[in-house]
Amino acid sequence: MKKVLLSVIFFCVQSFIVGQIAVETIDSTIKFANEQMKNTILEMNDNSSLHPNQTNISSGRWEFSNRKWWISGFFAGVSWYMSELVGDNSYWLDIATRWTKDLESQKNDTGNHDVGFQIFCSYGNANRITPNEDYKNIIITAANSLASRYDETVGSIRSWSWGNWNYPVIVDNMMNLELLLWASENGGDEELKTIAIKHAKKTLENHIREDGSTYHIVDYNNDGSIKNKDTHQGYNIESTWSRGQAWGIYGFTMMYQYTKNDTFLTAAKKLSDYFIDNLPDDFVPYSDFKDPNIPNVSKDASAAAITCSALFELAKYVDDDKYKNSAVDILNSLVNNYLAKNSNYHSVIKRACVRSGDSERGLIYADYYFLEALMRYKNSVTSIKENEILINSHFELFQNYPNPFNPSTVINYKLAKDSFVKLNIYNSIGKKMSSYLNEKQSSGTHAFYFDATSYASGIYYYQLISNGFSQSKKMVILQ
């Protein structure tokens, strides 16, 4: 039995590193996304005035919208990401350019707060990858259109111009502020940044509960006082719609990225902590965190993808490895459990949900933020590899001995200088099992005696963290 287990262990371990996802898995995921999106283009008959929205619940085929619907910028954005993710990008650059071009007229739309999604996901990525003065001017024009919806008395940008609300502001609107911030830094008026900051502060003041959860809608009176709070997509007013929480996490992280205002970083961490601490075992939330019918309700992989991408960004600005590890946990689950492989979904990701109470389906924005998370993950891994020489200059982690072992082993490591160290133990899918040490130690060689009596047989990884760097090695427990 031990011999068979060892064979399985050593086969699996070749492609796994703690805090990372196997290169082969990432490559196969990108290949699958490439196939799905190329098939989507065939579904549209190469018609760039059609934009994928959501998949049909029964057939799994895409349902399409025109350029005026709020999701219209996401397929263009997906195409720009595909141009970066695949080896030969000439095909996707052409597709991305054509689907982006169809959206130009939306730069003048002042009746819709989602011009941020429409223009920045398309033209924002276009200008990032293929800088162009025309692209920049379109983005600035769109930013001015969005800013026209700002009311100084209320201190916020109005979200919707429909419904029975007086002046509704939804947490989703945090996502559209990047359009204003980028435009302000790239030739637009400084007032655009001021509006973005004021809106974010008002959202911080009135949308976030003490426990870090969020209201979906705050409806204001004309004098700026709160008329009431509401939800349009959550289970009820006092519940927490998971994708709304995700929009908030992403939005406040982005606000810190542009402004370096610690208030926004604190908000991003607070919202992230609530999201992470309330996730189910597979790291993908239900459509509402407080739905009393859980687990007999829809999952929302779009909320997971949005948060995953945001957490990779947030991890750049904090010392706590919680956010990076959680991002990898979520991405691992999406890659292994939520790809639309072997299903009738025509999307990349399955089991997303528009609102609480709706059926699961594919959503184009779930695919967009999933691919963005893949991009950010790949960039973070590249950064780690580039810093390996720095890691080795701070400490050296040795292979445990004995290995395999039952029930105890010794982990040796050497510190180049006095350092604060932490030792984490992960299972074979990268889930943290335990943390040890978490203390300052002197320079020199150290030994940690690990007792695995309470652990099941299998592959595990130990990770040493010191001075912001980490290094990992595998070990095998045979009980």
Side-chain angles (χ1 to χ4, degrees):
M1 178 65 185
K2 289 185 178 181
K3 192 172 185 180
V4 174
L5 180 57
L6 274 174
S7 297
V8 174
I9 287 169
F10 290 129
F11 174 80
C12 294
V13 83
Q14 292 175 2
S15 61
F16 186 92
I17 303 173
V18 166
Q20 296 187 26
I21 303 170
V23 173
E24 297 90 339
T25 302
I26 295 298
D27 289 345
S28 66
T29 299
I30 293 170
K31 181 179 179 181
F32 174 71
N34 188 44
E35 293 168 353
Q36 291 290 86
M37 288 297 107
K38 283 189 173 181
N39 288 334
T40 297
I41 294 165
L42 294 177
E43 280 191 75
M44 293 185 286
N45 294 316
D46 205 31
N47 182 353
S48 61
S49 68
L50 296 178
H51 301 273
N53 181 359
Q54 58 190 19
T55 62
N56 183 276
I57 295 172
S58 299
S59 69
R61 295 177 62 87
W62 281 110
E63 296 172 351
F64 301 102
S65 302
N66 62 31
R67 67 180 67 90
K68 293 183 179 296
W69 191 234
W70 77 275
I71 55 83
S72 61
F74 288 114
F75 180 74
V78 163
S79 301
W80 287 111
Y81 284 145
M82 290 308 306
S83 76
E84 294 181 286
L85 287 167
V86 300
D88 179 10
N89 65 4
S90 57
Y91 172 86
W92 281 111
L93 284 174
D94 175 64
I95 294 296
T97 301
R98 288 197 285 127
W99 260 262
T100 296
K101 180 64 176 175
D102 182 66
L103 301 170
E104 181 176 355
S105 61
Q106 293 308 113
K107 68 184 180 182
N108 298 313
D109 188 352
T110 59
N112 169 18
H113 80 103
D114 288 314
V115 67
F117 281 125
Q118 293 170 320
I119 295 299
F120 207 71
C121 292
S122 55
Y123 280 96
N125 279 308
N127 191 68
R128 177 178 62 83
I129 296 170
T130 57
N132 180 300
E133 194 69 18
D134 289 339
Y135 291 164
K136 186 179 80 168
N137 291 334
I138 288 169
I139 295 170
I140 292 173
T141 299
N144 290 328
S145 296
L146 177 60
S148 72
R149 297 182 63 79
Y150 177 76
D151 182 275
E152 184 64 40
T153 301
V154 176
S156 296
I157 298 167
R158 180 172 182 152
S159 296
W160 297 324
S161 298
W162 51 270
N164 296 322
W165 300 284
N166 182 64
Y167 196 100
V169 178
I170 60 177
V171 70
D172 321 34
N173 209 351
M174 287 295 301
M175 299 292 289
N176 293 300
L177 302 183
E178 186 169 13
L179 178 70
L180 304 180
L181 294 167
W182 188 93
S184 179
E185 290 183 359
N186 291 274
D189 197 291
E190 178 67 21
E191 181 64 15
L192 296 173
K193 181 177 182 179
T194 301
I195 289 172
I197 292 173
K198 287 182 177 180
H199 180 102
K201 287 183 175 179
K202 182 67 74 168
T203 301
L204 179 61
E205 179 182 344
N206 295 325
H207 277 81
I208 302 178
R209 303 185 183 102
E210 186 63 32
D211 65 356
S213 62
T214 51
Y215 287 100
H216 183 201
I217 305 171
V218 177
D219 192 18
Y220 291 94
N221 294 306
N222 293 338
D223 63 0
S225 61
I226 296 175
K227 182 180 180 182
N228 55 51
K229 297 184 179 183
D230 200 358
T231 188
H232 182 61
Q233 289 168 276
Y235 177 78
N236 61 30
I237 294 173
E238 294 299 327
S239 69
T240 305
W241 176 44
S242 60
R243 193 167 73 249
Q245 189 78 9
W247 293 138
I249 293 168
Y250 195 112
F252 281 109
T253 299
M254 175 272 300
M255 287 299 302
Y256 180 76
Q257 175 190 353
Y258 278 86
T259 68
K260 296 301 182 287
N261 184 325
D262 286 338
T263 301
F264 298 138
L265 181 62
T266 299
K269 291 167 62 178
K270 185 174 183 177
L271 269 64
S272 297
D273 289 341
Y274 179 91
F275 192 100
I276 294 167
D277 294 345
N278 287 280
L279 283 175
D281 290 342
D282 72 347
F283 303 106
V284 173
Y286 296 95
S287 55
D288 194 294
F289 282 107
K290 296 182 180 179
D291 191 321
N293 300 303
I294 290 172
N296 300 312
V297 297
S298 296
K299 285 296 196 90
D300 188 6
S302 74
I306 294 160
T307 301
C308 181
S309 181
L311 290 177
F312 279 122
E313 184 66 26
L314 178 60
K316 296 179 182 179
Y317 310 118
V318 295
D319 292 331
D320 191 342
D321 62 351
K322 173 180 182 179
Y323 304 108
K324 173 66 178 295
N325 289 339
S326 295
V328 174
D329 285 338
I330 295 170
L331 187 59
N332 235 327
S333 184
L334 290 174
V335 165
N336 288 293
N337 305 312
Y338 287 81
L339 284 187
K341 289 182 177 180
N342 304 316
S343 74
N344 68 343
Y345 283 77
H346 289 205
S347 55
V348 178
I349 292 293
K350 62 184 179 180
R351 304 192 65 187
C353 185
V354 174
R355 57 175 52 83
S356 175
D358 274 8
S359 299
E360 296 171 349
R361 64 183 77 207
L363 296 171
I364 190 60
Y365 42 92
D367 290 353
Y368 176 89
Y369 289 104
F370 172 69
L371 294 177
E372 183 176 82
L374 274 180
M375 288 284 299
R376 289 179 170 180
Y377 169 76
K378 284 171 65 70
N379 290 339
S380 72
V381 171
T382 300
S383 176
I384 289 170
K385 288 180 179 178
E386 289 173 349
N387 283 319
E388 280 180 352
I389 188 170
L390 292 175
I391 294 173
N392 291 334
S393 71
H394 284 87
F395 65 85
E396 186 173 4
L397 181 63
F398 302 106
Q399 185 63 56
N400 65 302
Y401 182 82
N403 188 45
F405 64 95
N406 175 19
S408 61
T409 189
V410 180
I411 299 171
N412 290 292
Y413 54 95
K414 184 177 182 180
L415 303 177
K417 58 183 179 180
D418 293 358
S419 306
F420 191 89
V421 296
K422 181 189 291 186
L423 183 70
N424 295 323
I425 306 295
Y426 296 83
N427 66 11
S428 61
I429 62 170
K431 181 178 180 180
K432 185 188 290 185
M433 304 299 293
S434 301
S435 291
Y436 300 94
L437 299 177
N438 204 25
E439 62 190 30
K440 188 170 184 179
Q441 295 184 340
S442 60
S443 61
T445 301
H446 297 262
F448 176 77
Y449 294 86
F450 176 60
D451 186 338
T453 302
S454 62
Y455 287 71
S457 297
I459 308 167
Y460 292 86
Y461 299 84
Y462 55 97
Q463 175 196 49
L464 189 71
I465 302 172
S466 176
N467 293 330
F469 298 102
S470 66
Q471 194 173 9
S472 307
K473 290 186 181 293
K474 71 179 184 294
M475 61 183 177
V476 179
I477 300 173
L478 292 179
Q479 299 286 29

